[in-house]
Amino acid sequence: MKTKLTKPNPKVQHIGFKNLALKGFFDAIDINKEGYVSPQNFWNELKTYGILETDVRLKDIRSTFNKAYLQNKKGIDFELFSESIDQSVLLTKTLRGELVIPDFKGFCNEIIDIYGEVEQNMGGAVANYIPQLARVNPEQFAVSICTIDGQRFDYGDFNKNFCLQSTCKPINYCIAHEELGEEKIHKHIGREPSGRSFNEMALNNDGLPHNPLINSGAIMCSSLIDRKSAIADRFDMVMNTWSELTGDDDISFNNSVYLSERQTADRNFALAYFMSEKKAFPENTNLIETLEFYFQCCSIELKSSSMASAAATLANGGVNPSSGKKVFSASTAKNCLSLMNSCGMYDFSGEYAFKIGFPAKSGVSGAMLIVIPNVMGICVWSPNLDELGNSVRGVEFSKRLGERFNFHNYDSLINNDEKIDPRKKKYENKIDNVIGLIYAASHGDIDEIKKIEAKGIDLNSADYDGRTALHLAASEGQQEVVDYLIQRNVKGDLKDRWGGTPIKDAKRGKHTGIINVLSAYLNE
Ligand code: GLN
C-alpha cells in the first residue's frame, strides 16, 4: 500500500543550494506559515548575527521591505525576499555563515558571562583630579563590540555618554600621522614606552615625548594636527574624523569637562613648557592654543558603541567596517596599533602586552578602546580606576577575554585547546549543528531543522554513529519530520554504523505511517 506523498513545493525544487539555505531561513521566520515574513521578524533574526536594522549597508533593503509591508500587511513573500538578499553582499555572507564571527550569538553569550564576572569588581576609584570626572557614578559599566564585518553587540550602560580623555590619543596620533607620515611625526615624538605615569615630567634623551599615548606626546600630536588652519577648523576636523570612525553623528563635546580640565591643568602646562624649552615643538607653535586643543579633544563625548566602531576601524586597517569609508591608511592604523600594544596602558603597558597581548588604550574617564586586529574592536567603559589610571573593570575584562579567547598576539604559536577561537567557531558549530539537527528531528522540531538547514548544514549529515535526522525521526515516530525530510530529497537509505536504515527503525517502532511513506519514497 502506498500513501500519497506531500506534494513538493515547486519553488523549493528549483532553487539551488544557496537558496535552499535562504528558503530554510525564510521558513524559520515565517511565523504564521503563510509564505510571508514580517520585516520585524527578519530584523530580529538578523540581530542574532550582530547585523542591525540601522546598518547603513541595508538601507535599500529596509526601504524595499517597508514599502512591501505597507502594501501587504502579511509581509514579504519569498520571491522579493530572495531577490533582495541576493543583492546584498552582507546578507549573503551572513546567511552563508561567512562573517568573521560566525556564531555571533554564542560569542555574545560568552561576553555576557565575562561581564557578569567583572561586574562584581567594585575596586578602584573615579579620577578625582578633574572635578567633573569625580562626580560620575562609578557603578556604570558598558561593553560594546563591533567586528570587522560590522556585527554589533552592546551590553550594560551602553546608552550613557562618557568623555574620551586619553582614548583621544591614538586617534589624534593617526590624524597627525595621516597628514605628515611616519618620518615627520616621529621627528617630534618617540615610540618607546616611558615606563612612567601618564603625566610624568619626563622626556626621552632627545628631549622629545617618549610616545604619543602619554600626555606629553598627545600634546605634541595636538600641535601637529592641521597646524596651518584656524583652531576652530582643527577641532572640526577632529570631530569629523570621529564621525567617520564611528559612522554616527552622535559625537558631542562636554564643555564643563573641558573647562574643569583646563582649570586643573598645571601639570599639562608644565609639560608643554618643558617641551618648549627643549625645542621639541615645530617652530611658531602656540602653546596655549595647543593645550586648549588637547583639552577639547579629551572632552569629546560618545557612547560605547561608537567607540567600538572606532576600534573596529583600526582593527580593519583604517576602513570603517559599516560605511566602507577609508578613514586612515593601513600603515597609519598599523603604526597606531603597534604603539597601543607597547604603550597604551601607561606603566601597565608591558604587563598588559605580556599577559593579555592585544592593543588597547585607556583613559581616565574609565574608557578603554581595545583592538583585536582583523577581528573586532571593543569598548569597555567603567569609571573606577586603579592607581595607574586604568579602568579596573576594563583591565579585568581584558584579562578574562584573553583567558577565554585566543586573542593574544602570539596565541597562534601555541596549540591551545583551552581557548576558543571564535573565528573558527563555524567548524565547531558544524558539529554542534549536526547534533542539533538530529536532536530536533527526534523531537519533531521542524522549525529548528529549518534554522539549521539555513546555516548551510546538509540534512543528510550523520553523527558519530552514522545516524541521520531521518533515522531519528523514523525511529521516534516523527511523521511530520519524515515528510519534511523527504520533501527535501534527503537520501532515504543511508546506513548507520550497525547497517540500520530509517525504514528498519520505523519498523522496529511500528510506526506504520512512516513505514508507508518511506517505502513509497524508496521505491520511486
Ligand atoms: N585629560 C587628561 C589629562 O591630560 C587625560 C589623561 C588620561 O586620560 N590619562 O590629564
Side-chain angles (χ1 to χ4, degrees), residues 200 298 327 346:
E200 186 89 14
C298 290
V327 187
Y346 310 123

Side-chain angles (χ1 to χ4, degrees), residues 129-130 133 164-169 198-199 213 215 219 261 264 267-268 294-295 298-299 346 361-365 388-389:
Y129 76 109
I130 301 172
L133 292 182
L164 293 175
Q165 291 301 332
S166 280
T167 54
C168 75
K169 291 171 180 168
F198 67 88
N199 56 4
L213 303 184
N215 285 18
I219 294 168
E261 181 102 35
T264 51
R267 174 58 66 99
N268 286 324
Y294 166 62
F295 305 145
C298 290
S299 310
Y346 310 123
K361 181 72 200 91
S362 61
V364 290
S365 52
L388 305 175

Side-chain angles (χ1 to χ4, degrees), residues 17 61 85 90 273 286 373 433 524:
F17 173 77
I61 287 202
I85 289 194
L90 172 65
Y273 280 102
N286 180 333
N433 277 321
E524 271 180 8

Side-chain angles (χ1 to χ4, degrees), residues 97-164:
E98 286 171 0
L99 297 178
V100 64
I101 305 293
D103 181 11
F104 196 68
K105 203 172 166 188
F107 176 74
C108 294
N109 285 336
E110 304 270 356
I111 297 295
I112 293 172
D113 206 31
I114 299 179
Y115 182 103
E117 292 165 4
V118 174
E119 195 180 16
Q120 322 292 325
N121 189 342
M122 277 305 292
V126 291
N128 58 8
Y129 76 109
I130 301 172
Q132 301 302 322
L133 292 182
R135 286 181 212 137
V136 171
N137 172 4
E139 290 187 5
Q140 300 177 99
F141 182 22
V143 174
S144 288
I145 286 171
C146 175
T147 72
I148 56 160
D149 281 321
Q151 297 165 277
R152 301 180 148 276
F153 178 66
D154 299 301
Y155 201 69
D157 295 302
F158 60 87
N159 273 327
K160 302 277 172 56
N161 272 333
F162 54 86
C163 51
L164 293 175

